[in-house]
Amino acid sequence: MNLIKIIFIIIISFYINLNVYAEPVHKNDYDVVGQVTTPTGVIFNPSGTKMYVTGFHGNSGRVAQYSLSVPYSTSSGVSLDANTITEIAAVLERPQDIKFNSDGSKVLVLSTQSIDGNKDSIAIWSLGAPYDITTISSTKDSEHFDKIDNDPRGFDFNTDGTKMFILKATTDQIEQYDLTSPFDPSDMTLKATLSNPKGDGFHQGLGFSSDGYKMFVIKADRSTDNPDLNIIEEYNLTTPFEITTASKNEKTYNTQTASAGNERIAGITFNFSQGANKFYHLDFDDKKLVREYDLPCAYGIISCMNPTSDGDDVGSVEAQSSATKKLIQHTSYPVLNRMEWLRRNKDSVNLTNQNLKLQFSNEILASLSNLLMPSSLTNDNTSSNQSISTNWSYWSEGTISIGKVGDSLSSSAKSINTSAITIGADKKVDKDRIHGFALRFGNDDVKVGKLGSALDMNSLSLTLYETRPTSDNMFMDILLGASAIKTDLINNSGTVSTNGKRNGQQVFSSIKFRETFTKEKINFTPNIKLDLGLTTLSDYMEKGAEGLNLRFGRQNIGTIVSSLGSTIDNTININNGILKPKIQLQYNADLSPSSRQVFEYASNGTTYVIDNINSSTHNYNGSFGFDLITDNGLSITSNYERSQNKGAGHTDAFYFAGKLSSRKDETYTLSLDGIQNFNTKLDYKRSVNGFDITFSSNYNLTSLIPDYGANIEVSTNF
């Protein structure tokens, strides 16, 4: 019986511990009574080395500037800067809140009484040095805007200063304004209003989190017996800095402590650049204090920030998963292209070739990896009577991919840039069977959102491959590979940035079957392909933002992509050559299982989950074009392709290439890629003493700014 009781107590204790939220911890009080007898607003410079307190001293408006020896710490090393009790009484009598513009060149003060008798205004002073109020040239040299009304007690801006928010005590409302110019209320338009019932207290402060997903409201009163007074309210916003999407947390935080005495609270701010794991408010009743608290996590006055509601956080997780899946495709495609080229040129003695592939995609564009390249025509007209070479031949292929995936309801937009080089070697086992290996060095650079979040993924892949016939007209291409992944991650909220490093391992395989049926010189070649992969990303912890740092658990990402398609081509004999028209259709289905990422705040262990990261996608590919090969060494290929996503979105692509062999050891190649721009490429190749010397140049025909490039390459068999 006692054992049952013990087990029951343990279970209950565990359940309670899971659901107990760690409240803020009061850290320190700093007395400002000698400078401001009624403090109402507090803020820090971005580095936390300066603190500013505004309010009134009798009937005089004031701003006091303090230096802090330890950033954001009021516990020690706090001193009033010489001559910095800036008298703003020439303009304002009862300041309520203080803010700076984004670069600290201007200071803005909200007031309920100006010296000229007008109530409810904002005054702006230009500073001679950023965040230094001692450089105000004259208290009279201010911009003064009297459009504010209804007893404003707090204000704030979004990150770029294009939106302003004002807390009004008379109407018990929060108002949102659009500003024509950043941090300039001279031209403002009311966009939304949110009611905030006063209750028994009165409004005395307003503040936002740096990402705009949380809003805090201060309510104050002299009475210490009413739990609804001297409280901080929290609102969660589903859209950053849009108060129409705000929902109030049922919980509130009562700042009253035994040491506070008869308290009246005002103002609110955070140590933004350190991850917002501290917050500050003012007591303007008996003790005139700046009160400092430690938080269990970022903005955790009442609850922690939910990273799953941050589009950049979700976008970063999705980008990591997507990049690892794309890595399998980007590693497999050059090898599969090589095996197709080997079958077309299986009778050639020299199987060495080089290639450059350009891929472009965006929100409505899919992969263009199946475009024909100039090398596809090399040696197509080679005699089948040549002897089989048992020497190893080498090849290379470069890939550049540019893409963009747009915003979703939960995830920010992602701009993707991929570059890679693949080098490989293979040899003939018999007339129709060839095997080899390839190394790929790749980089994926992904920008997430608009605030600077990003990931930089470097990978090294080894692939073993073989192409062989399974019957007279059927071929099988198979590959098996592994990749090592290293990723640098940056998560930027606009005011604070975290960074982390994550490693990963990947194994993958691909198998492709194609069979050719011929009837009256028309070839019908259906094919089926399956890509499989498993990626494991290590756990890692962010650094750089204290209370904002997240710890990510180990993540497994599965890849299953199937493709079904067919090619129809015909060989037509013409004068001095052949013409090969062709049509290709293909269906691709990404059937990858869902991947789950579990992560938590390193500061308090609050756990979150992003599920269903891998969503199935489907698209269709269709293309038509032709190959022209003449007896005098001229080869031309042209291909138009459309990739249509299921539901919406498509890609249109056009590719043209021409090759002229003026003599046995000399070749000219001209290519035109008409995807988004007309990128041209000219190659000159000549064989000298067993070495192939290639000179390449490119030029963008449609660019207003000339874009030239040149490359010299020397190669041989080994």
Side-chain angles (χ1 to χ4, degrees):
M1 189 68 177
N2 290 334
L3 180 60
I4 295 176
K5 289 182 178 179
I6 292 172
I7 294 174
F8 179 77
I9 292 172
I10 292 174
I11 293 173
I12 294 297
S13 300
F14 180 72
Y15 177 82
I16 292 174
N17 288 332
L18 284 178
N19 291 275
V20 168
Y21 172 73
E23 291 190 344
V25 177
H26 177 237
K27 184 73 172 179
N28 187 62
D29 290 334
Y30 184 78
D31 194 342
V32 298
V33 67
Q35 297 83 47
V36 184
T37 55
T38 308
T40 54
V42 59
I43 197 171
F44 295 83
N45 68 343
S47 64
T49 58
K50 298 287 185 181
M51 179 175 70
Y52 314 86
V53 178
T54 192
F56 38 99
H57 200 78
N59 292 323
S60 298
R62 282 190 172 184
V63 178
Q65 177 177 297
Y66 302 85
S67 291
L68 283 66
S69 59
V70 179
Y72 293 106
S73 175
T74 63
S75 300
S76 62
V78 181
S79 60
L80 178 69
D81 287 356
N83 302 316
T84 59
I85 303 177
T86 302
E87 298 281 354
I88 59 175
V91 178
L92 304 175
E93 288 185 351
R94 301 180 68 83
Q96 299 294 329
D97 205 355
I98 180 173
K99 295 290 185 292
F100 290 92
N101 66 344
S102 56
D103 61 3
S105 61
K106 292 186 177 183
V107 61
L108 300 89
V109 180
L110 177 74
S111 176
T112 55
Q113 185 70 51
S114 61
I115 196 66
D116 58 6
N118 293 320
K119 292 174 63 68
D120 309 335
S121 60
I122 295 175
I124 305 177
W125 286 268
S126 295
L127 304 178
Y131 300 101
D132 188 354
I133 63 170
T134 67
T135 62
I136 294 177
S137 59
S138 171
T139 56
K140 296 182 179 181
D141 292 339
S142 66
E143 302 174 78
H144 195 193
F145 306 106
D146 299 319
K147 296 181 179 180
I148 316 300
D149 56 11
N150 293 315
D151 199 15
R153 297 300 181 101
F155 76 141
D156 207 353
F157 297 85
N158 67 339
T159 307
D160 62 7
T162 58
K163 295 180 181 180
M164 182 175 69
F165 308 86
I166 299 180
L167 177 67
K168 297 189 173 182
T170 301
T171 58
D172 304 326
Q173 292 176 329
I174 302 162
E175 294 179 343
Q176 175 180 325
Y177 295 86
D178 285 349
L179 306 183
T180 302
S181 300
F183 300 97
D184 183 1
S186 62
D187 187 6
M188 59 186 191
T189 303
L190 180 64
K191 298 300 293 185
T193 301
L194 179 67
S195 294
N196 183 271
K198 178 169 58 179
D200 294 327
F202 62 91
H203 299 96
Q204 197 58 56
L206 175 71
F208 282 82
S209 62
S210 58
D211 61 3
Y213 283 101
K214 280 185 180 290
M215 180 178 69
F216 301 91
V217 176
I218 291 270
K219 290 185 177 180
D221 200 275
R222 290 183 179 276
S223 175
T224 60
D225 298 327
N226 192 330
D228 295 328
L229 306 178
N230 293 314
I231 62 172
I232 300 176
E233 297 176 334
E234 176 190 84
Y235 286 81
N236 295 308
L237 287 69
T238 58
T239 301
F241 297 105
E242 290 290 341
I243 63 174
T244 56
T245 68
S247 60
K248 184 179 177 182
N249 196 317
E250 294 182 358
K251 298 180 180 179
T252 61
Y253 178 67
N254 194 319
T255 65
Q256 191 67 39
T257 65
S259 63
N262 200 27
E263 187 179 41
R264 295 178 80 184
I265 64 175
I268 185 171
T269 193
F270 299 85
N271 60 333
F272 292 105
S273 63
Q274 290 183 340
N277 63 341
K278 288 180 178 289
F279 93 97
Y280 312 79
H281 71 79
L282 300 165
D283 175 8
F284 66 96
D285 192 31
D286 292 335
K287 296 190 175 183
K288 326 301 182 186
L289 303 173
V290 177
R291 312 204 72 195
E292 175 186 339
Y293 297 77
D294 287 343
L295 298 176
C297 57
Y299 305 102
I301 299 176
I302 298 170
S303 65
C304 292
M305 291 287 299
N306 186 351
T308 63
S309 65
D310 188 315
D312 285 7
D313 285 338
V314 176
S316 179
V317 173
E318 290 182 346
Q320 294 178 63
S321 177
S322 175
T324 60
K325 292 176 64 181
K326 288 292 185 184
L327 174 60
I328 295 176
Q329 297 179 17
H330 291 164
T331 304
S332 300
Y333 283 162
V335 177
L336 292 170
N337 291 341
R338 169 64 176 177
M339 287 189 282
E340 291 184 10
W341 188 91
L342 287 172
R343 287 197 304 275
R344 289 193 299 268
N345 300 275
K346 60 186 176 67
D347 296 321
S348 174
V349 175
N350 185 359
L351 295 179
T352 294
N353 79 303
Q354 293 80 41
N355 190 9
L356 175 65
K357 176 168 287 191
L358 301 178
Q359 298 177 334
F360 299 86
S361 61
N362 58 29
E363 184 176 358
I364 62 172
L365 303 180
S367 172
L368 302 176
S369 60
N370 293 323
L371 291 177
L372 295 174
M373 307 306 297
S375 59
S376 67
L377 298 177
T378 306
N379 296 323
D380 263 358
N381 56 345
T382 305
S383 172
S384 61
N385 295 323
Q386 293 176 314
S387 61
I388 297 172
S389 173
T390 59
N391 295 327
W392 286 90
S393 299
Y394 87 94
W395 58 277
S396 65
E397 181 170 308
T399 302
I400 302 171
S401 180
I402 303 172
K404 185 175 182 180
V405 179
D407 286 315
S408 67
L409 293 176
S410 61
S411 177
S412 298
K414 293 169 279 291
S415 298
I416 306 164
N417 294 275
T418 301
S419 58
I421 179 70
T422 303
I423 57 176
D426 44 45
K427 65 181 297 185
K428 292 181 178 180
V429 180
D430 55 41
K431 187 176 183 299
D432 295 315
R433 181 183 172 192
I434 302 174
H435 62 206
F437 65 91
L439 283 173
R440 179 186 184 272
F441 305 86
N443 174 263
D444 291 86
D445 184 16
V446 183
K447 309 297 183 187
V448 181
K450 299 179 180 179
L451 299 178
S453 297
L455 67 90
D456 185 40
M457 189 179 80
N458 293 294
S459 58
L460 173 62
S461 306
L462 172 64
T463 307
L464 306 177
Y465 60 90
E466 182 174 277
T467 179
R468 62 166 68 185
T470 58
S471 65
D472 291 341
N473 297 311
M474 178 177 282
F475 278 85
M476 177 182 70
D477 299 333
I478 187 169
L479 61 88
L480 178 67
S483 300
I485 303 169
K486 291 185 177 295
T487 306
D488 293 323
L489 300 114
I490 297 175
N491 192 352
N492 198 330
S493 67
T495 57
V496 63
S497 179
T498 64
N499 61 84
K501 296 183 180 294
R502 194 175 203 182
N503 297 326
Q505 301 82 41
Q506 183 180 84
V507 292
F508 59 92
S509 66
S510 181
I511 185 169
K512 184 176 183 179
F513 292 93
R514 64 165 57 203
E515 184 173 9
T516 300
F517 302 91
T518 302
K519 185 176 182 180
E520 297 180 356
K521 297 184 179 182
I522 297 177
N523 298 317
F524 176 69
T525 308
N527 66 83
I528 185 171
K529 181 168 70 76
L530 180 65
D531 295 323
L532 301 173
L534 176 63
T535 305
T536 299
L537 299 179
S538 66
D539 56 352
Y540 78 101
M541 189 178 77
E542 296 177 334
K543 298 179 180 180
E546 300 185 20
L548 274 179
N549 291 333
L550 296 171
R551 183 186 292 112
F552 290 79
R554 186 183 180 98
Q555 183 184 4
N556 294 318
I557 304 167
T559 300
I560 304 175
V561 180
S562 62
S563 302
L564 180 66
S566 180
T567 301
I568 302 174
D569 65 80
N570 188 16
T571 301
I572 303 173
N573 293 318
I574 60 175
N575 291 333
N576 300 319
I578 58 174
L579 178 67
K580 295 182 177 180
K582 72 191 93 173
I583 299 174
Q584 182 176 345
L585 299 173
Q586 185 166 294
Y587 168 75
N588 305 300
D590 185 348
L591 306 175
S592 304
S594 175
S595 178
R596 164 177 285 199
Q597 178 65 77
V598 180
F599 55 105
E600 63 185 18
Y601 278 109
S603 57
N604 71 343
T606 306
T607 300
Y608 303 89
V609 176
I610 298 179
D611 231 331
N612 300 315
I613 299 172
N614 294 349
S615 56
S616 299
T617 58
H618 307 267
N619 62 72
Y620 309 89
N621 291 80
S623 68
F624 64 88
F626 67 88
D627 296 342
L628 174 65
I629 304 170
T630 66
D631 296 337
N632 60 6
L634 176 64
S635 303
I636 296 175
T637 185
S638 178
N639 195 65
Y640 168 80
E641 180 179 283
R642 166 162 285 200
S643 180
Q644 179 71 51
N645 292 341
K646 186 177 180 180
H650 67 272
T651 293
D652 291 312
F654 171 75
Y655 186 82
F656 169 85
K659 175 182 290 186
L660 175 63
S661 297
S662 61
R663 60 188 190 185
K664 188 175 182 180
D665 60 353
E666 192 174 66
T667 302
Y668 300 88
T669 303
L670 173 66
S671 60
L672 172 65
D673 182 1
I675 304 169
Q676 293 178 335
N677 300 304
F678 288 96
N679 298 305
T680 60
K681 185 171 181 284
L682 176 64
D683 294 338
Y684 170 76
K685 181 178 180 181
R686 184 169 181 177
S687 297
V688 180
N689 296 327
F691 290 87
D692 292 332
I693 303 175
T694 305
F695 174 81
S696 303
S697 74
N698 63 275
Y699 178 67
N700 189 341
L701 294 176
T702 61
S703 176
L704 297 177
I705 302 174
D707 182 13
Y708 303 95
N711 180 66
I712 298 178
E713 183 180 278
V714 181
S715 59
T716 188
N717 290 342
F718 65 90

